[in-house]
Amino acid sequence: MYDIFRSALFRIDPEQAHYASACAARSVQLARAGGALEKMFAFEDIRLEQTLWGNTFSSPIGLAAGFDKNASLVPFWPTLGFGFAEVGSVTAYSSRGNPRPRAFRLIEDEALINRMGLNNKGVRNIARRLRRTAPRSRIPIGVNIASTHGRKITGNSAVEDFRISFKTIADQAAYIALNISCPNTRDGKTFEDPESLEILLKVIMEQRSKSAPNVPVLLKMPPPVSDRIVFDSSLRETVRLALDYGIAGFVATNTATDREGLATHPARLRAIGRGGLSGRPLEARATHLVRYLYRLTEGALPIIGVGGVFSAKDAYRKLRAGASLVQIYTALIYRGPGVVRDIKTGLVQLLENDGFDSIADVVGVDAA
Ligand SMILES: Cc1cc2nc3c(=O)[nH]c(=O)nc-3n(C[C@H](O)[C@H](O)[C@H](O)COP(=O)(O)O)c2cc1C
């Protein structure tokens, strides 16, 4: 059925297609017609349930950041069977992002390239909306925060931007993910270097102790350039800082800036230009980082694995590598909303085949 929608959606610009899908979801939400959809997409199984950071996740499959930037579809996401959703990235000030076109499909690679540039309505508006919807949500709602996209927001003002967002919204969030790895802003990589990261963590954790002492804070990491890379001392330093500053987990990974191993013609890639690559080409590398983080922390900090998860087998690999939860974005575009149910049913089958009683038993079994 999604094949019919997909061929229509794929005829229009990806951002317009996203807008059309979000409008359809919003109509379902407003008409309170979620019940019928939920019957189509429902699949519950106690073996998929886990408790992390004091929250119950009815399934490990969540919505990745970037799809619901303004938290306008919070009541809708459980309808598709998601076990949690991460809204944002949210920034201190509203932003229109980069000029269009800024999202592109690479169909041969089952991938996307985007340089949205952190377009969102700003933390005050989004926090107001979440205050209404998050307490009634049936699933945990994480909030991803980043610094406002702008020439003047660098260094200390970027740290202050993060702090404002944290202070304004953290009390509405099941967890906060610090987006230190957005490739779509001029200085988006600033906080990937440990020295700058430490300054950010100091400020955020101080703010946390004042305004939201119980909220778990996670770091959203960039992907490695390949699944064979031997990690350098900078990543080990990042993990040490995370442990020292009381970070509660990782989201691995964000989109990639390189164009390694793609089937898409180089001339088309050149025509598209810069932007973050998501989808199938990220699968192995994101899993590689998940495994490394799990090993380095000896499984002490839960990891949300994200990047190229299209099927139950992909999700299972992330869990076995050390992820406790898994998120999807690009698979929703290529496979449609039924992909969440398909992954969940497939996961239960995989658990049964391998003789595991629950998701928690699988986490990290391949990390050694
Ligand atoms: C169009 C688009 C917008 C995104 N926006 C954000 C964002 O605002 N913040 C963020 O942390 N990640 C963002 N992401 C990255 C996703 O959350 C995810 O890390 C990445 O797409 C890899 O997962 P996937 O292969 O399942 O798509 C975006 C991804 C896409 C495709």
Side-chain angles (χ1 to χ4, degrees):
M1 165 101 148
Y2 180 68
D3 289 353
I4 302 167
F5 284 117
R6 191 181 117 148
S7 56
L9 285 174
F10 274 29
R11 261 184 233 133
I12 54 176
D13 165 72
E15 194 169 347
Q16 278 175 326
H18 180 272
Y19 182 71
S21 313
C23 283
R26 213 166 153 66
S27 327
V28 170
Q29 189 172 283
L30 287 172
R32 298 182 198 280
L37 263 190
E38 203 161 333
K39 275 196 196 117
M40 257 169 87
F41 294 120
F43 176 78
E44 299 299 328
D45 192 299
I46 191 73
R47 286 169 288 186
L48 297 178
E49 191 177 298
Q50 286 173 97
T51 301
L52 294 162
W53 309 299
N55 282 299
T56 302
F57 292 78
S58 60
S59 99
I61 309 303
L63 178 77
F67 204 104
D68 190 6
K69 287 177 184 286
N70 295 313
S72 47
L73 293 169
V74 165
F76 177 73
W77 299 119
T79 315
L80 298 189
F82 280 112
F84 68 110
E86 186 172 312
V87 299
S89 291
V90 175
T91 60
Y93 302 98
S94 70
S95 168
R96 297 159 84 91
N98 288 318
R100 297 183 193 200
R102 50 193 183 177
F104 309 86
R105 298 181 196 97
L106 311 183
I107 294 178
E108 301 97 302
D109 288 300
E110 288 197 295
L112 299 170
I113 289 178
N114 90 85
R115 50 169 176 272
M116 303 303 289
L118 298 172
N119 54 312
N120 75 103
K121 291 190 188 303
V123 73
R124 284 187 182 80
N125 286 317
I126 298 171
R128 200 174 311 126
R129 187 172 279 160
L130 271 186
R131 224 159 271 136
R132 266 197 336 267
T133 53
R136 282 186 277 152
S137 173
R138 284 185 279 144
I139 58 173
I141 303 297
V143 178
N144 178 305
I145 64 175
S147 71
T148 308
H149 184 22
R151 222 171 280 213
K152 293 191 186 137
I153 315 239
T154 57
N156 288 343
S157 38
V159 173
E160 178 59 9
D161 202 282
F162 264 103
R163 193 192 64 79
I164 293 170
S165 291
F166 186 93
K167 182 175 179 219
T168 314
I169 211 162
D171 61 337
Q172 304 302 319
Y175 68 82
I176 291 283
L178 301 178
N179 184 359
I180 56 165
S181 52
C182 177
N184 300 317
T185 55
R186 208 161 272 108
D187 75 327
K189 290 192 165 291
T190 313
F191 295 107
E192 287 171 28
D193 99 78
E195 230 170 87
S196 320
L197 179 63
E198 181 157 19
I199 297 169
L200 177 68
L201 292 185
K202 211 177 256 174
V203 169
I204 291 295
M205 292 322 243
E206 251 172 52
Q207 183 60 53
R208 176 179 182 265
S209 60
K210 288 185 210 149
S211 53
N214 297 320
V215 75
V217 180
L218 281 61
L219 289 185
K220 183 153 182 185
M221 308 291 286
V225 286
S226 92
D227 59 343
R228 293 210 189 98
I229 193 165
V230 178
F231 292 105
D232 61 8
S233 56
S234 144
L235 185 62
R236 281 196 292 276
E237 182 63 6
T238 299
V239 171
R240 186 192 66 76
L241 286 174
L243 291 165
D244 284 0
Y245 280 87
I247 286 296
F250 296 98
V251 185
T253 68
N254 212 321
T255 52
T257 47
D258 63 84
R259 303 288 183 257
E260 286 309 305
L262 297 180
T264 302
H265 198 282
R268 166 136 163 83
L269 295 174
R270 272 196 302 279
I272 290 172
R274 66 189 179 83
L277 173 73
S278 63
R280 181 69 75 199
L282 271 189
E283 200 264 320
R285 326 181 196 184
T287 308
H288 184 53
L289 182 59
V290 166
R291 187 176 296 111
Y292 183 81
L293 290 170
Y294 186 91
R295 264 192 222 153
L296 215 57
T297 57
E298 294 171 2
L301 303 185
I303 300 165
I304 302 179
V306 51
V309 174
F310 281 67
S311 67
K313 280 191 180 152
D314 298 334
Y316 198 53
R317 265 196 299 279
K318 289 258 189 307
L319 296 163
R320 293 183 66 112
S324 296
L325 301 169
V326 170
Q327 291 174 330
I328 60 171
Y329 188 142
T330 305
L332 266 184
I333 313 290
Y334 281 92
R335 299 288 160 84
V339 71
V340 185
R341 180 204 49 216
D342 293 348
I343 294 176
K344 284 160 63 181
T345 50
L347 273 180
V348 168
Q349 197 57 57
L350 289 163
L351 288 179
E352 266 177 24
N353 293 351
D354 291 347
F356 292 111
D357 293 333
S358 74
I359 284 292
D361 294 341
V362 168
V363 175
V365 294
D366 285 345

